[in-house]
Amino acid sequence: GENVEQHPSTLSVQEGDSAVIKCTYSDSASNYFPWYKQELGKRPQLIIDIRSNVGEKKDQRIAVTLNKTAKHFSLHITETQPEDSAVYFCAASNTGTASKLTFGTGTRLQVTL
Amino acid sequence: EAQVTQNPRYLITVTGKKLTVTCSQNMNHEYMSWYRQDPGLGLRQIYYSMNVEVTDKGDVPEGYKVSRKEKRNFPLILESPSPNQTSLYFCASGPFQRPMEKLFFGSGTQLSVL
């Protein structure tokens, strides 16, 4: 089955700096890669996703890149703000079988003033 | 308002006392699933259902049961809870077409088994 590894487990950046979280996946059949943000005590919320036919996607201050050959995908947050502080999860899925998302282990991002 | 409703939000129980966590969605979704979240392990799928009367095991099904008698409800049953089932549980639902791309999560149930 699919295995998703996520690094780092914790990340501290100063306000205004950029943050990068990286994930690798094992199943070459995976073709959908979402990123979720989870604030303390809340449900995971989808913030951005990318499909395997696209190499990069951007939405304001967040972007995701995908390298299918290396089976890597990354989340980039620019101009970080205190409200970006949360736990971020990457995930992977094969939309053909579509039975689950396989999640990474999460990254706790802290944005300091 | 589209939502996935889980109850209870918090639950403290003792080893061996059967419990049920309810999950209901109002979006007419075919797909429903349960995940547990543990520190350092992310979210792991327990069970899922592609439609009424169709359920299947996820990655960590041991000690859990589910049922899907109605489209809107997908209860999670712990027949004999043990301390290693202390966790944060999330129910999720999605449409028949590409459910993973339109997944709605419930608010979560924090379960403590003493």
Side-chain angles (χ1 to χ4, degrees):
Chain A
E2 176 65 277
N3 181 52
V4 177
E5 295 189 358
Q6 182 172 347
H7 298 281
S9 57
T10 60
L11 180 58
S12 182
V13 299
Q14 283 198 318
E15 184 178 7
D17 287 350
S18 295
V20 180
I21 302 169
K22 298 182 179 182
C23 290
T24 61
Y25 62 99
S26 62
D27 188 351
S28 57
S30 290
N31 58 2
Y32 175 67
F33 307 93
W35 285 87
Y36 285 83
K37 176 183 181 181
Q38 186 180 34
E39 296 175 348
L40 192 62
K42 300 286 183 65
R43 76 191 79 194
Q45 299 268 25
L46 178 69
I47 55 171
I48 196 168
D49 57 10
I50 192 167
R51 296 178 182 80
S52 60
N53 58 348
V54 175
E56 183 173 359
K57 184 177 179 181
K58 191 174 182 180
D59 182 3
Q60 299 182 358
R61 294 187 297 108
I62 60 173
V64 57
T65 59
L66 171 65
N67 182 328
K68 281 195 304 181
T69 303
K71 298 197 188 96
H72 289 172
F73 57 115
S74 300
L75 178 71
H76 304 252
I77 306 174
T78 58
E79 301 172 23
T80 54
Q81 301 167 3
E83 52 264 39
D84 294 330
S85 296
V87 178
Y88 292 81
F89 292 97
C90 62
S93 177
N94 176 351
T95 55
T97 55
S99 67
K100 68 176 180 182
L101 288 174
T102 300
F103 285 86
T105 51
T107 296
R108 182 173 299 279
L109 173 64
Q110 184 168 3
V111 180
T112 58
L113 297 172
Chain B
E1 179 189 353
Q3 55 187 338
V4 177
T5 303
Q6 286 180 235
N7 280 297
R9 186 81 171 85
Y10 302 94
L11 179 58
I12 301 174
T13 189
V14 295
T15 299
K17 186 176 181 182
K18 181 179 178 179
L19 65 92
T20 299
V21 184
T22 64
C23 175
S24 181
Q25 49 93 5
N26 64 359
M27 295 165 280
N28 202 36
H29 282 165
E30 285 78 13
Y31 175 88
M32 296 187 76
S33 182
W34 278 101
Y35 287 85
R36 61 177 288 175
Q37 182 179 354
D38 302 289
L41 296 177
L43 288 89
R44 294 176 293 165
Q45 190 186 57
I46 303 170
Y47 268 95
Y48 67 97
S49 169
M50 298 303 292
N51 214 326
V52 177
E53 300 292 1
V54 179
T55 63
D56 211 342
K57 296 177 181 179
D59 294 322
V60 288
E62 295 79 19
Y64 304 95
K65 286 175 57 177
V66 293
S67 69
R68 188 89 185 273
K69 297 176 182 173
E70 303 167 285
K71 197 172 189 179
R72 63 183 293 122
N73 296 325
F74 191 44
L76 180 69
I77 303 156
L78 285 72
E79 294 270 4
S80 182
S82 62
N84 64 12
Q85 292 179 298
T86 292
S87 187
L88 177 59
Y89 291 86
F90 287 100
C91 179
S93 75
F96 178 77
Q97 291 287 345
R98 297 184 170 182
M100 299 308 119
E101 299 182 23
K102 302 178 181 67
L103 214 54
F104 277 74
F105 281 92
S107 296
T109 296
Q110 181 64 57
L111 172 65
S112 296
V113 183
L114 306 178

